[in-house]
Amino acid sequence: GMSRGGGTGYLFPLLVFLVRQVWTSPRAMQLAHVVVAAAAVLVFVRWAPLGRRERALFALGYFPFFEYAVISRNYAAGALFVWLACAAARSRRPALALGAALGLLCQTTVYGYILAIALVCGWLLDRWLHRGEMAPLPGVEVAAGLLLAVTGAVAGLVQFTQAPGTKVLPWRFAWDPGHALRVLMMPWRAFVPLSRPELNFWNANLLDAWPAVQAVAGVLTLVLAAALLWRCKLALVTFGIGASGLLAFGYLQLVGQVRHQGHFWLLFVAALWLSGG
């Protein structure tokens, strides 16, 4: 169903609905999902400014291969539009394609929305820092791209807003040390998704038995990621804004499971992509 709220947009459900008009089998959703997931991998392998080995390792990594490809969910659409936005940002005439990709990304999930904000901030900073070296963008394309991005952003906000009568998660504004500890675990679980060697491994982590250790590891993970991106302002700002948004949403609303936390990993790779690898 496409009921409003819950941090999920209409984009992927609408795609599944259209596929179901052609094929009524329950496998219709799986078919739509595998096409989207395969498209995300194709875009990444074709345009990511990384070596062949790095692209292959990423595509076969835990999040792109398992969480966002094998399991049928709407996060694959978010990954696809993140990579399309990155490819557009580094193209010769980026405005129109970037605006379209960001507008669609804003209608995937609230995590896609946060990444879209980070990507556009990083791209705008890069344009400003190198304003004397870059050719001006065509005004018509800038206007059209801006219209697409803003329209998508507004549509995303409308879609994420809880419909009247639906169960809503309360916003958490009061200080809660225990919850803050769980929020700090998120980067570790995204960058090091090593589960316990047991049958019920899903959504577990090797450090779950030691929450304080996992929280410290999460902070160190962020520090290491920032250190790796330090030499490039574009990458550092993109990652910093996105990570701040993900942490803030984790505290105010939902820490979530590994699939939610994996957006730190997508963000880090996107920051690398924008910086040229």
Side-chain angles (χ1 to χ4, degrees), residues 115-228:
L115 264 59
I117 293 171
L119 290 172
V120 75
C121 287
W123 180 74
L124 288 172
L125 173 70
D126 189 55
R127 295 288 308 186
W128 185 75
L129 288 175
H130 300 96
R131 57 192 181 280
E133 308 162 27
M134 295 183 176
L137 299 174
V140 174
E141 291 182 20
V142 170
L146 184 62
L147 179 64
L148 289 171
V150 171
T151 302
V154 172
L157 285 178
V158 171
Q159 292 164 34
F160 300 153
T161 305
Q162 295 286 155
T166 56
K167 186 179 178 181
V168 58
L169 283 173
W171 290 91
R172 182 184 287 100
F173 293 108
W175 174 242
D176 183 341
H179 188 70
L181 196 72
R182 290 189 289 276
V183 170
L184 292 177
M185 297 177 188
M186 294 168 66
W188 169 263
R189 294 169 69 83
F191 281 77
V192 191
L194 289 175
S195 56
R196 295 190 297 266
E198 57 186 37
L199 182 61
N200 299 315
F201 71 93
W202 194 39
N203 288 322
N205 191 278
L206 277 176
L207 295 184
D208 281 349
W210 306 280
V213 174
Q214 191 170 171
V216 171
V219 173
L220 292 176
T221 300
L222 284 178
V223 171
L224 177 60
L228 290 170

Side-chain angles (χ1 to χ4, degrees), residues 106-118:
C106 286
Q107 297 175 72
T108 55
T109 64
V110 68
Y111 299 101
Y113 204 104
I114 293 169
L115 264 59
I117 293 171

Side-chain angles (χ1 to χ4, degrees), residues 37-38 40-65 83 87 265-266 269 272-273 276-277:
V41 171
L42 285 173
V43 171
F44 190 90
V45 170
R46 171 67 180 83
W47 284 296
L50 301 168
R52 186 178 298 176
R53 181 179 62 180
E54 286 78 13
R55 283 176 286 165
L57 286 172
F58 177 82
L60 296 173
Y62 176 76
F63 288 108
F65 187 78
W83 307 143
W265 178 234
L266 297 184
V269 175
L272 280 178
W273 185 328

